Amino acid sequence: MNKHMLLLLVGIAAVFGGCTLIPKYVRPQAPVPATWPTGSAYKATTAKTNSPTAADIPWHDFFSDAKLQKIIDLALTNNRDLRVAVLTIEKTRAMYRIQRADLLPTVNVVGYGTRQQIFANVATFEESMQVEYYTVNVGFSSYELDFFGRIRSLKARALEQYLATEQARCSLQISLVAEVVGTYLNLAADRDLLRLAQDTLESQESTYELIQRRFELGDASELELRQAQTRVDAARVDIAKYTGLTALHENALNLLAGTQVPSEFLPRELTALKDIRAGLPSEVLQRRPDILQAENQLKAANANIGAARAAFFPSIMLTGTYGTMDDQLAGLFKGGSAVWGFTPQITLPIFDTGRNMANLDAAKAERDICLAQYEKAIQTAFREVADALAQRGSLLDQLEAQESLVEATAASYSLSDARYRNGIEGYLTVLDSQRSLYGARQGLIAIRLARLANLVTLYKVLGGG
């Protein structure tokens, strides 16, 4: 008995001291340039070179609007997609614990009783008889000694899969925050455009009433009256359109938040965001959760090769029990009733019709697939950041030009309106100036929205938060 127990202890010690057949993991070279693209579209910004990168800025520092912060908090608490991601992490963590538990034997207590009738004609007994006995055993069965690291390879794979789900949750959280902010900004822009349309309608109605009085006095033509009416009706159309869009974006914000957003949290106008620096591609590639997730999946596939390789080597299974047996239930724990058993088993694969080799080939193919997916994730990330940087540079020029355009069209409208009221110009000049000013102000709101949306996108693709 002592020799067998010693053998068991040596075998268990081998589990913790043995090697695995997992190929050595070396992080692949990133298939992208070492620097971001340069050119006329990639202009320098106001962000300082020593300012923190996006990944180092918590979302509540980058999005400083108090109302917006409250909506983001609601989304992080109630959004169902994020909740599913968190629960997936819990599930995968449990699977990892299950896989890790296979490294140690599972000890059970088993008790059973047997009563059997044996007839004389099926045995050498002179007469039929009943056999009765009771047994209580404590021990383990089919415990595999992990000499070649199969179980530890599977444990390593389960660990990387668990880490990948954690990175997936981080990636989803960043995307959720960005989507909440984007919807919030769209709602703010809708309200700005709605307010502009309402102000325009009020101004156009005043102009229409003036021209109608002049028409009644014979100082204005019907053409001028109808032209003024077209501007009134156009403003009414825009009011209806932006009222509908406002409601749609409010509904979208409620869905993202996972609950009804209180009206006092909704924006009144577009708010500014701070600028950020892009950093180096290597910084982004080391911090983006989706890239880390792809690398965890690559590591998991690499560990699975170790398990497939171990299948070519012998497997050793141990079964051991210690207990008591007696033909009377009351005598189970009396002296002299002890029983024990120890059954080692070794299995050496000889001919499996190529199954183990096919499993190894499949594991290697899976690793190569994960490698391609990892490299694609890096290339996609590089492209997303490069696109955001290109837009950032061009949007600054657009914003500056659009602000100048608004000033020019406002001055043009003021002059043409004054000349019309003094009878120097016809109403058609005023009408053109009104259209230009209204379109310029709409364009300014759109570019401001695009500028803010670009900062949100840049924060997201740089792994912000």
Side-chain angles (χ1 to χ4, degrees):
M1 174 64 180
N2 292 334
K3 292 181 180 179
H4 293 305
M5 291 302 295
L6 179 61
L7 177 62
L8 175 61
L9 292 175
V10 171
I12 293 175
V15 173
F16 298 98
C19 62
T20 66
L21 301 177
I22 300 175
K24 182 180 179 181
Y25 176 78
V26 178
R27 176 177 287 174
Q29 291 292 327
V32 293
T35 58
W36 302 118
T38 57
S40 57
Y42 304 92
K43 295 188 176 181
T45 64
T46 57
K48 298 179 180 179
T49 56
N50 60 351
S51 61
T53 57
D56 296 319
I57 306 175
W59 65 262
H60 47 76
D61 289 342
F62 187 71
F63 305 113
S64 56
D65 187 327
K67 294 180 179 180
L68 178 56
Q69 289 180 346
K70 292 177 181 178
I71 297 176
I72 294 175
D73 279 329
L74 286 175
L76 295 179
T77 303
N78 300 296
N79 183 268
R80 298 313 190 266
D81 290 334
L82 188 60
R83 188 173 298 177
V84 169
V86 172
L87 293 174
T88 301
I89 291 174
E90 296 299 322
K91 173 185 174 183
T92 311
R93 181 188 293 130
M95 298 300 294
Y96 166 64
R97 288 164 54 198
I98 292 171
Q99 194 68 63
R100 185 178 60 182
D102 288 341
L103 287 170
L104 296 174
T106 300
V107 180
N108 297 311
V109 175
V110 179
Y112 60 90
T114 299
R115 187 169 185 174
Q116 185 176 11
Q117 176 75 39
I118 302 177
F119 295 95
N121 61 346
V122 297
T124 58
F125 305 121
E126 295 181 357
E127 60 182 16
S128 299
M129 63 180 297
Q130 287 186 350
V131 178
E132 181 177 354
Y133 60 91
Y134 299 90
T135 301
V136 175
N137 290 324
V138 57
F140 54 88
S141 63
S142 300
Y143 167 58
E144 180 178 354
L145 294 180
D146 196 27
F147 284 115
F148 301 100
R150 188 186 73 87
I151 296 177
R152 273 168 295 142
S153 296
L154 294 176
K155 184 197 72 143
R157 181 185 68 173
L159 175 61
E160 295 299 336
Q161 289 172 337
Y162 159 64
L163 296 175
T165 59
E166 174 64 29
Q167 296 298 341
R169 184 204 63 81
C170 293
S171 182
L172 178 60
Q173 178 172 314
I174 293 173
S175 297
L176 175 61
V177 170
E179 194 169 358
V180 168
V181 177
T183 306
Y184 182 87
L185 294 175
N186 274 289
L187 178 57
D190 290 340
R191 291 191 164 190
D192 277 348
L193 290 168
L194 177 59
R195 191 160 40 249
L196 174 62
Q198 290 170 337
D199 292 343
T200 300
L201 176 62
E202 183 178 348
S203 173
Q204 294 303 322
E205 285 179 336
S206 176
T207 301
Y208 176 76
E209 291 173 358
L210 173 63
I211 294 178
Q212 187 175 36
R213 287 195 298 270
R214 295 183 62 184
F215 172 72
E216 292 171 351
L217 295 174
D219 293 335
S221 65
E222 183 178 358
L223 176 60
E224 291 175 332
L225 180 64
R226 298 308 176 194
Q227 288 173 334
Q229 184 180 357
T230 61
R231 300 309 306 151
V232 172
D233 291 338
R236 290 173 56 197
V237 168
D238 284 349
I239 288 175
K241 179 177 73 173
Y242 294 125
T243 299
L245 288 175
T246 298
L248 292 178
H249 282 119
E250 287 179 4
N251 293 337
L253 202 57
N254 291 334
L255 177 62
L256 291 171
T259 185
Q260 188 73 25
V261 177
S263 58
E264 60 268 22
F265 293 173
L266 299 179
R268 294 184 57 84
E269 59 186 5
L270 288 170
T271 56
L273 296 175
K274 62 180 67 174
D275 205 348
I276 51 177
R277 73 180 182 92
L280 296 174
S282 58
E283 293 178 306
V284 177
L285 302 184
Q286 293 172 4
R287 304 291 292 274
R288 268 189 52 148
D290 58 335
I291 295 177
L292 296 177
Q293 177 190 0
E295 186 175 16
N296 288 135
Q297 291 168 340
L298 174 59
K299 290 178 179 179
N302 193 62
N304 195 43
I305 294 177
R309 285 177 172 177
F312 287 89
F313 294 87
S315 62
I316 301 174
M317 307 292 252
L318 300 178
T319 298
T321 59
Y322 183 85
T324 177
M325 177 188 294
D326 199 271
D327 58 358
Q328 297 293 327
L329 187 60
L332 276 178
F333 299 100
K334 292 182 179 179
S337 63
V339 294
W340 60 269
F342 182 72
T343 309
Q345 175 184 327
I346 182 168
T347 302
L348 176 63
I350 297 177
F351 179 69
D352 62 359
T353 65
R355 180 180 290 106
N356 287 339
M357 183 59 70
N359 285 333
L360 179 59
D361 291 341
K364 291 180 178 178
E366 181 186 5
R367 191 265 315 273
D368 293 341
I369 291 172
C370 291
L371 174 60
Q373 291 173 337
Y374 172 68
E375 293 175 338
K376 178 62 182 297
I378 292 176
Q379 292 174 336
T380 300
F382 187 91
R383 186 263 173 95
E384 288 176 348
V385 176
D387 286 350
L389 291 175
Q391 286 184 326
R392 179 170 68 171
S394 61
L395 282 170
L396 287 173
D397 289 342
Q398 291 182 51
L399 183 60
E400 181 180 352
Q402 193 69 26
E403 288 173 344
S404 177
L405 179 62
V406 169
E407 292 178 3
T409 52
S412 175
Y413 169 69
S414 179
L415 291 173
S416 61
D417 184 63
R419 291 171 65 86
Y420 170 73
R421 292 176 184 273
N422 291 324
I424 301 175
E425 293 280 357
Y427 185 68
L428 183 59
T429 304
V430 179
L431 190 65
D432 288 340
S433 298
Q434 286 176 337
R435 272 201 215 95
S436 298
L437 177 59
Y438 184 56
R441 286 175 173 170
Q442 285 181 317
L444 181 60
I445 294 173
I447 293 177
R448 285 175 176 170
L449 173 62
R451 166 68 175 153
L452 294 174
N454 172 255
L455 288 174
V456 174
T457 299
L458 192 58
Y459 182 71
K460 171 188 171 183
V461 298
L462 290 173

